[in-house]
């Protein structure tokens, strides 16, 4: 559940970037585009971290045996 929330919250935040930056646009102190860019970049970094964590836990189907239906190769241990 933690990993799902780690993915869902940044995606939800990315869908509402305009609403999140609305208070900064009202103040008109400086250009808001840089703030939006940093906000989007930070949220994309969190999504990338969540994908990396899912890969580390083996939750992503990215091996040839999973994608093509082939059996897993036998592991050989060399001493």
């Amino acid at each position: 559940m933690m990993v799902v929330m780690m993915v869902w919250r940044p995606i939800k935040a990315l869908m509402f970037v305009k609403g999140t930056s609305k208070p900064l646009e009202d103040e008109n102190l400086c250009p808001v585009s840089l703030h939006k860019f940093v906000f989007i970049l930070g949220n994309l970094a969190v999504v990338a971290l969540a994908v990396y964590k899912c890969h580390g836990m083996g939750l992503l189907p990215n091996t040839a045996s999973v994608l093509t239906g082939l059996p897993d190769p036998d592991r050989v241990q060399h001493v």
Side-chain angles (χ1 to χ4, degrees):
M1 183 161 179
M2 289 174 60
V3 176
V4 171
M5 292 304 288
M6 191 176 186
V7 173
W8 176 246
R9 284 189 175 173
I11 290 174
K12 191 170 139 182
L14 288 172
M15 289 190 290
F16 298 110
V17 171
K18 189 169 184 163
T20 305
S21 62
K22 185 71 173 162
L24 292 174
E25 291 173 354
D26 292 341
E27 292 177 8
N28 291 329
L29 296 176
C30 60
V32 183
S33 59
L34 180 63
H35 296 287
K36 284 183 182 180
F37 177 72
V38 171
F39 181 76
I40 291 170
L41 190 66
N43 281 308
L44 289 176
V46 172
V47 171
L49 181 67
V51 170
Y52 175 74
K53 188 163 189 68
C54 287
H55 172 70
M57 292 189 309
L59 297 175
L60 295 178
N62 57 357
T63 60
S65 62
V66 173
L67 296 175
T68 61
L70 298 173
D72 285 332
D74 292 333
R75 306 274 186 226
V76 179
Q77 182 176 0
H78 298 282
V79 179

